[in-house]
Structure formats: C-alpha cells, structure tokens
Amino acid sequence: MKYDIKVTKTNQSHISEVDFENLPFGRVFSDHMFIADYKNGVWGDLRIVPFDNIPTHPATSALHYGQSIFEGLKAFRNSNGEIQIFRPTKNLERLNLSAARMAMPALPQDLFMQALDTLVLLDQKWVPTSAGSSLYIRPFMFATDEYVGIKASDNYRFIIFTCPVQSYYSAPVKVLIADKHVRAFPGGTGEAKAAGNYAATLQPVQEARANGFDQILWTDGIEFKYLQEIGTMNVFLQIDGQILTPALNGCILNGITRNSILQLLADRGIVAIERNITVDELVEAHQKGTLEDAFGAGTAATISHISHIGYKGTTLTLPDIEGRTLSQELKQELEDIKHDRIPDRHGWVHKIAVNVLI
Ligand code: COI
C-alpha cells in the first residue's frame, strides 16, 4: 500500500556546521524527521518536517507511565555512493513485538518502509562516507493520551529521526557482572526494546562506572547465576574454540546483530551454542586459560570486544584483542556486507535509489 506522506523541507539545513570526521554518538541530528499520529485506531497525519522540538502536554502518558518503545538501525553508503539500510524489516518486526508487549499499536510494514526510505532519501547528504561511520536511524513510539491514570493510551505518536554517527564505543569495553541489580526477569519486558528497561539500568551503570567499568553484564534476577545481556549489546563468549551466547528466553533482546553473527558463523560451518551460560563457567574458563574471547554485539556498538570482566571484587583480564581472529573477521565481514563490498548472500541489505552520489 502507498501512503500519503506530506513533506515540508527545511529552508535552513545545518549540515555545513557538522564535522563529519568527529561525530559524537547520538548528538548530531539530521535536518528532518518523520511523524505519524495514531488516533481512533489508525495511523494518520503522516509527515516529514524539519527536525525540531515536539510540544508536549504535561500529562502526556508516556512521561508518567513509560509506555514508550524504540529501535535502532543504520544506513551506510557503498562505494558507488548508493545508500543501503541493514535489515530494516527485522527492526520493524521487533518494534511490533515491543509494541504488543507494551499494549501499543503495531505499525504496518509498508508505512514503516515508505517513511524510512522517504526520510533517508531526503536527508541523503547526511549519510556519512568515512570509515566506521553510518547514519543511525532512531524510530520510536510513545503514548500521547493527556490523562492522569494508569491505562493503555488510546493515542500514540511514532517518529523517526536520524543521526550521523561513528562508533558507539571508542575502546574495548570493561563489563561488570551483575550480582545485585536486575535488568530483566521471567515474564517481564526484557526482550522488548522498551524505554523503561534502559531507565532501570542507569543507576547501577553509574555505580559500575564509578568503579572503572563501562557497562554491566546482566544476569538472571533470581540467582544472579546465568548471563543475560549487556543492555547496549548481546554477549558472545569463545571458550576453548566454541562460540557461546545466552539463549533467548524472554529476558534478552533478540538482537539483529546477534542474529546476523549466528548466521555468519553458520555460513562458516560453525554452530554457535545458544544455551544458559553460568557466571561460574565463565570464571572457570578464565582460570583455566580457555576464555579466548568475549564480545558484545549490537546495532550501535556493532561488534565491541570486552577487555575486562569484573565479578565480586575481582577483575578478569581477557586476551589481547589482536589475537581474537574469529570475532575480528566477523566484524569485518558484517561491515563489508553493510557497505556492499562483498555479496549480500542473505538479502540483508535494503538499497535506496539516490539521486545525489557523494
Ligand atoms: C542500538 O544498538 O541501536 C541501541 O538501541 C542501543 C543504544 C545503546 C544506542
């Protein structure tokens, strides 16, 4: 189905003020954004407008009760100057899963894809070209009822804006294994990309940072025994030649980078093991010298190596990153697919017809 999207272009692009060689993650915003409003059971008033603040009623229900979800995906420029978005329909699938869990309406695929293509095409000059950079795309949906009282909202707003970015982590990551705080628990919202999941991690992460760590490697909230995810990334371990990652169990985000890595491993004939992984076996592998690699996988972070793991007052130092050949190769292979440097054998890349080749 083709939707009618009203486009109002900015008459004051600020692209010339942007230093594309120095892009702090998530702080530089492109010229336009897409907005849709959900009223009376339908998405309407589809529009692309200059990027700006959005007026907010003080009783906007998302602000009080947290009915708010988001996604993250990236667009890249290939060597022909064309723009390609990595696995956008997977993000929509997950957005709709998050929406269902949070009692919010689904977004039709045709609407999502048309909005995405129109917005990225309009702001095509914002897709960076330098190595390691991309256009980060942030779709999000929130409850807009102006009402004090706890109930699923009747009205919602869906927005997409974009940010040219470089890497999310500029260095290998130091993670602290959670033994006190909980991110997600069975039956909760852990696998949804709900704003509140991230809010709940902020104070513990502040504490971890004060102790020299970047992020928390979350564990199950009952025994603090099984690894879950890092919040910004899923986690992978390489122990004695085997690749392991926690099995999806409703508490862990079904990461699109995670899923892509599993496929790239399968393409190499490597079956990654998805199962419950205990903290004890991680620590034991480190003691025995068989913990060969640990890395996080996420859209913003791509593949980010873990250099240190803290647990109950001890810090495990992991092997040098240079020697971690498999994850280095996977990282390169993913980047090559995203930039059209090698064949896209799984049909992951969505190309947009551009008229400005940079
Ligand atoms: C992403 O990887 O896209 C996320 O949403 C995580 C956030 C840290 C930027």
Side-chain angles (χ1 to χ4, degrees):
M1 170 169 172
K2 182 111 172 70
Y3 289 86
D4 187 19
I5 301 177
K6 183 171 176 246
V7 177
T8 309
K9 291 187 190 173
T10 181
N11 49 20
Q12 250 189 332
S13 171
H14 63 282
I15 196 165
S16 59
E17 297 153 22
V18 176
D19 175 3
F20 277 85
E21 298 308 314
N22 180 23
L23 292 167
F25 195 100
R27 293 196 186 276
V28 177
F29 303 96
S30 315
D31 281 330
H32 297 91
M33 60 184 181
F34 169 83
I35 306 182
D37 287 318
Y38 184 85
K39 285 193 178 103
N40 303 320
V42 285
W43 288 104
D45 198 6
L46 315 178
R47 57 211 190 269
I48 288 179
V49 292
F51 185 84
D52 204 352
N53 295 342
I54 40 175
T56 310
H57 189 282
T60 297
S61 125
L63 297 180
H64 299 263
Y65 311 113
Q67 234 192 332
S68 175
I69 56 175
F70 68 98
E71 271 302 320
L73 62 164
K74 280 179 174 171
F76 302 85
R77 201 175 279 279
N78 69 23
S79 56
N80 296 325
E82 298 163 315
I83 294 171
Q84 32 195 60
I85 304 179
F86 190 66
R87 308 192 74 179
T89 52
K90 283 297 253 189
N91 289 89
L92 177 68
E93 217 177 88
R94 193 171 60 190
L95 181 86
N96 283 339
L97 185 139
S98 304
R101 179 63 183 83
M102 303 298 287
M104 300 168 89
L107 205 80
Q109 178 162 319
D110 292 349
L111 169 53
F112 179 73
M113 292 307 294
Q114 197 185 323
L116 199 59
D117 285 2
T118 315
L119 181 69
V120 174
L121 190 60
L122 182 63
D123 278 341
Q124 58 187 278
K125 288 187 182 158
W126 288 85
V127 183
T129 50
S130 60
S133 60
S134 57
L135 188 75
Y136 184 79
I137 302 168
R138 168 51 57 90
F140 65 111
M141 189 197 296
F142 59 98
T144 53
D145 275 12
E146 296 160 1
Y147 169 70
V148 175
I150 302 187
K151 70 166 195 64
S153 186
D154 293 320
N155 300 287
Y156 296 87
R157 178 162 283 180
F158 173 71
I159 298 184
I160 310 178
F161 65 75
T162 68
C163 309
V165 297
Q166 284 159 338
S167 52
Y168 190 75
Y169 293 113
S170 52
V173 187
K174 296 180 181 159
V175 299
L176 180 66
I177 295 181
D179 61 1
K180 184 165 61 159
H181 298 289
V182 180
R183 174 191 173 274
F185 43 85
T189 59
E191 73 177 343
K193 212 160 167 59
N197 287 347
Y198 296 80
T201 67
L202 298 178
Q203 184 273 329
V205 170
Q206 267 179 349
E207 245 180 55
R209 291 219 167 112
N211 288 304
F213 293 93
D214 302 302
Q215 284 295 336
I216 293 181
L217 173 46
W218 297 100
T219 51
D220 71 278
I222 298 165
E223 299 174 88
F224 299 96
K225 180 175 172 185
Y226 298 103
L227 304 182
Q228 287 186 343
E229 58 151 276
I230 302 177
T232 54
M233 309 184 275
N234 293 110
V235 67
F236 282 81
L237 304 178
Q238 187 174 341
I239 298 180
D240 210 7
Q242 282 193 326
I243 302 289
L244 307 170
T245 191
L248 301 178
N249 59 5
C251 296
I252 298 173
L253 194 81
N254 185 355
I256 294 156
T257 308
R258 177 189 184 278
N259 175 278
S260 307
I261 289 170
L262 293 176
Q263 181 62 58
L264 294 184
L265 285 166
D267 293 351
R268 289 166 180 247
I270 300 172
V271 180
I273 300 166
E274 296 175 78
R275 63 161 170 83
N276 287 339
I277 304 171
T278 63
V279 179
D280 285 351
E281 65 182 299
L282 186 159
V283 173
E284 198 183 307
H286 183 263
Q287 277 164 358
K288 287 204 281 197
T290 54
L291 179 60
E292 293 149 357
D293 196 356
F295 60 89
T299 297
T302 66
I303 288 181
S304 293
H305 290 96
I306 295 171
S307 60
H308 296 85
I309 301 179
Y311 183 55
K312 291 194 189 288
T314 308
T315 300
L316 318 180
T317 303
L318 272 65
D320 286 345
I321 313 291
E322 294 70 48
R324 306 195 203 175
T325 329
L326 181 59
S327 54
Q328 300 270 19
E329 284 178 14
L330 290 171
K331 184 172 181 166
Q332 187 61 49
E333 192 175 353
L334 258 182
E335 286 310 296
D336 287 345
I337 294 171
K338 291 171 181 174
H339 289 88
D340 215 16
R341 295 189 282 248
I342 59 174
D344 171 25
R345 54 187 184 277
H346 297 293
W348 285 344
V349 163
H350 170 72
K351 275 194 195 187
I352 300 184
V354 295
N355 50 27
V356 177
L357 297 180
I358 291 184

